[in-house]
Amino acid sequence: MPYYTFDLVVGDEFRDQGTIILENLLVASDRADQLACELSQVKPELKARGCAVRVTDADRSELYRTPLDPVPQWRKAG
């Protein structure tokens, strides 16, 4: 199983939030969405700064990114 690293993206800065072994990118992206939701609740000031959570692989290539203030699911459907 691959390693995925999660970073808090603040402007041009990447703050390491940890690395975990997960089954695949789908599971890693779900974890990133959960982390973004938790961070937006704990530190709401980050939403106004346009922060995001990104997922990278072992080579530090970005695989996924989600904003801390995502578009609600009901808005995506339209």
Side-chain angles (χ1 to χ4, degrees):
M1 284 193 269
Y3 285 88
Y4 295 98
T5 299
F6 298 82
D7 297 313
L8 173 62
V9 181
V10 181
D12 292 334
E13 184 181 334
F14 303 110
R15 298 179 185 171
D16 184 20
Q17 299 298 302
T19 301
I20 190 168
I21 300 172
L22 295 169
E23 294 84 8
N24 56 43
L25 182 56
L26 180 61
V27 176
S29 63
D30 285 344
R31 290 284 176 100
D33 292 339
Q34 291 173 359
L35 180 57
C37 183
E38 291 170 10
L39 285 170
S40 68
Q41 292 174 1
V42 173
K43 296 196 168 259
E45 66 275 11
L46 294 176
K47 290 192 297 186
R49 295 176 62 189
C51 296
V53 172
R54 77 173 186 161
V55 178
T56 59
D57 62 12
D59 296 325
R60 301 298 290 173
S61 298
E62 185 171 321
L63 304 174
Y64 181 79
R65 184 182 291 222
T66 186
L68 263 58
D69 192 14
V71 177
Q73 289 294 330
W74 62 270
R75 300 249 357 233
K76 289 181 183 178

